Amino acid sequence: MECYKKIGLLFCAAIFLLQGCVINDLDDCPDAIRYALAFEYTLHTGENDRFAEDVDKMFIYAFDATTGICVYADTTTLIAPFGKDYTYSLPLSMGKYDIITWGWGRNTGDVSLKMSTAVIPTIIPGTTSIDNARLLLEDKLNDGRLERTFYGERNVDVPAFVSRVDTVSLINITNQIRIIIPDAKTAEIQDRISVSIVGNNGAYYFKPGSNPPAMDVLKGGVTYLPYVMYRTDSVLVVDPISKETYTGTGRDSMLIVEISTLRLVQNDANMQVVLDYGGNPVIFPLLEMLQAGISSNIQYNLDKYYRWQLLFNITNTSVTVHIQTMDWHVVYQPSNAGGILQ
């Protein structure tokens, strides 16, 4: 009988210990019991998981699934290098949560170019709602290169006495769009051309599996300006259809424009590329052009590709646009554009 009493006391002590682990934080937990997150980035043009290779820093936020208010934030500890088996322990009580993760990507571009910071919102525990945590930017004129920014979201159920690791899948929500105009061969022509992307962007509100809310709720759109209008080094561009090669050094070769955008969403029909030559703007539907080469799974492929190239072959009467990404090319001929370089 005395033996049974001792076993009962030990069992009660264990229960109290584990309750302290769940109610307070992981400092009181036995090493064998933990809740953690793993991360993956597989939605890209390769087939492997590139989380460890492409992400430099992560921001983790937990929201109470009932109230929708942020209850936990970590913006300081998740810094590369991340190993392939990296996991992050979350000090959460037993319950249901919505997890949001933001991440910065590794800078693979020309560091001499003008850059802006990653587009990550300010999230305050006890104050910020999950809807506001999904908002990227308000109206902003952005003339810098957006750093690669990653986003992930997952509903989780944190258990009391069972260890578990849930995986959060990330997508890249920034794009680099290169616009090439080979016919703009001289500094005089190049100086008369301005290029921008205008229109509302559904990536203002990002929630996996759903469309963004009405645009008037999002306070309008962003105008994206180039972070570089031409290159001063040697350039070489080969048209994949005609095999014609454009080459030269500096401004007297062609106009090359690099523009950053946020995530491209397939129902953003009003996103437009505007080429303005001396006050005569010509407008091209950006999403219509990009989707011309996608026969199915449009949003999947828009998220998969990070860089897009649009080559505008322009004559006095017509424009032909070659849209090229890593493994496909399509020719787009707008019906209402021509004479831009007259």
Side-chain angles (χ1 to χ4, degrees):
M1 182 65 69
E2 189 67 25
C3 173
Y4 288 116
K5 289 182 178 179
K6 290 181 179 180
I7 293 175
L9 289 174
L10 289 173
F11 179 76
C12 290
I15 293 296
F16 281 120
L17 175 62
L18 292 177
Q19 283 181 336
C21 154
V22 175
I23 295 173
N24 297 313
D25 56 48
L26 292 183
D27 294 338
D28 298 324
C29 289
D31 292 339
I33 297 177
R34 64 193 288 262
Y35 179 79
L37 295 176
F39 308 95
E40 64 179 8
Y41 171 47
T42 59
L43 188 54
H44 52 75
T45 52
E47 296 181 355
N48 60 319
D49 180 5
R50 293 193 54 86
F51 169 71
E53 291 82 5
D54 286 16
V55 181
D56 262 353
K57 182 172 175 57
M58 292 289 294
F59 302 83
I60 306 297
Y61 305 96
F63 297 81
D64 184 277
T66 302
T67 66
I69 300 299
C70 180
V71 296
Y72 175 81
D74 186 347
T75 61
T76 59
T77 60
L78 283 77
I79 302 175
F82 300 109
K84 290 189 176 181
D85 296 324
Y86 177 83
T87 59
Y88 174 78
S89 295
L90 265 175
L92 295 175
S93 302
M94 179 180 65
K96 297 182 183 297
Y97 300 89
D98 295 311
I99 304 297
I100 281 183
T101 61
W102 288 99
W104 284 355
R106 298 199 173 185
N107 180 13
T108 58
D110 183 348
V111 296
S112 66
L113 298 177
K114 182 177 181 180
M115 292 183 292
S116 68
T117 59
V119 286
I120 297 176
T122 299
I123 300 174
I124 303 172
T127 301
T128 305
S129 70
I130 191 169
D131 285 340
N132 287 331
R134 294 183 183 120
L135 290 172
L136 292 179
L137 302 170
E138 294 183 359
D139 292 349
K140 184 177 181 182
L141 187 68
N142 196 305
D143 60 353
R145 184 181 64 187
L146 296 176
E147 294 290 350
R148 292 189 70 184
T149 306
F150 295 89
Y151 181 89
E153 183 173 335
R154 177 164 181 158
N155 308 113
V156 302
D157 191 350
V158 177
F161 307 127
V162 179
S163 295
R164 193 169 77 211
V165 178
D166 287 331
T167 299
V168 178
S169 298
L170 305 176
I171 70 168
N172 169 55
I173 59 165
T174 53
N175 294 270
Q176 307 302 321
I177 296 181
R178 168 180 286 186
I179 296 172
I180 301 175
I181 306 178
D183 303 284
K185 297 181 180 299
T186 66
E188 179 183 2
I189 293 177
Q190 292 170 9
D191 287 341
R192 295 187 64 188
I193 297 177
S194 66
V195 183
S196 62
I197 294 176
V198 300
N200 297 319
N201 191 322
Y204 276 129
Y205 178 93
F206 181 79
K207 183 178 180 181
S210 68
N211 293 325
M215 290 303 172
D216 57 356
V217 177
L218 302 176
K219 303 180 181 179
V222 164
T223 297
Y224 298 93
L225 297 181
Y227 59 82
V228 60
M229 277 292 290
Y230 57 86
R231 294 195 179 276
T232 58
D233 55 354
S234 296
V235 292
L236 176 64
V237 178
V238 179
D239 187 316
I241 297 298
S242 68
K243 305 302 181 184
E244 184 176 0
T245 299
Y246 307 95
T247 186
T249 302
R251 301 189 65 181
D252 293 330
S253 55
M254 71 187 74
L255 181 65
I256 297 180
V257 181
E258 304 276 7
I259 302 179
S260 297
T261 75
L262 296 176
R263 179 177 181 245
L264 300 171
V265 179
Q266 68 182 81
N267 60 354
D268 293 341
N270 63 347
M271 288 192 72
Q272 300 168 328
V273 177
V274 180
L275 303 184
D276 191 313
Y277 183 68
N280 299 307
V282 180
I283 297 174
F284 302 88
L286 176 62
L287 268 295
E288 181 179 317
M289 290 191 295
L290 299 186
Q291 292 171 191
I294 304 176
S295 58
S296 62
N297 298 324
I298 292 176
Q299 189 59 56
Y300 172 84
N301 282 283
L302 289 176
D303 287 331
K304 181 178 178 181
Y305 296 109
Y306 168 55
R307 293 183 177 90
W308 303 80
Q309 177 172 291
L310 282 65
L311 189 149
F312 288 77
N313 286 332
I314 301 172
T315 68
N316 285 339
T317 58
S318 66
V319 177
T320 300
V321 185
H322 296 264
I323 299 97
Q324 183 178 5
T325 186
M326 295 186 67
D327 59 1
W328 61 268
H329 168 272
V330 65
V331 177
Y332 176 88
Q333 293 184 303
S335 58
N336 58 348
I340 187 174
L341 298 184
Q342 293 181 6

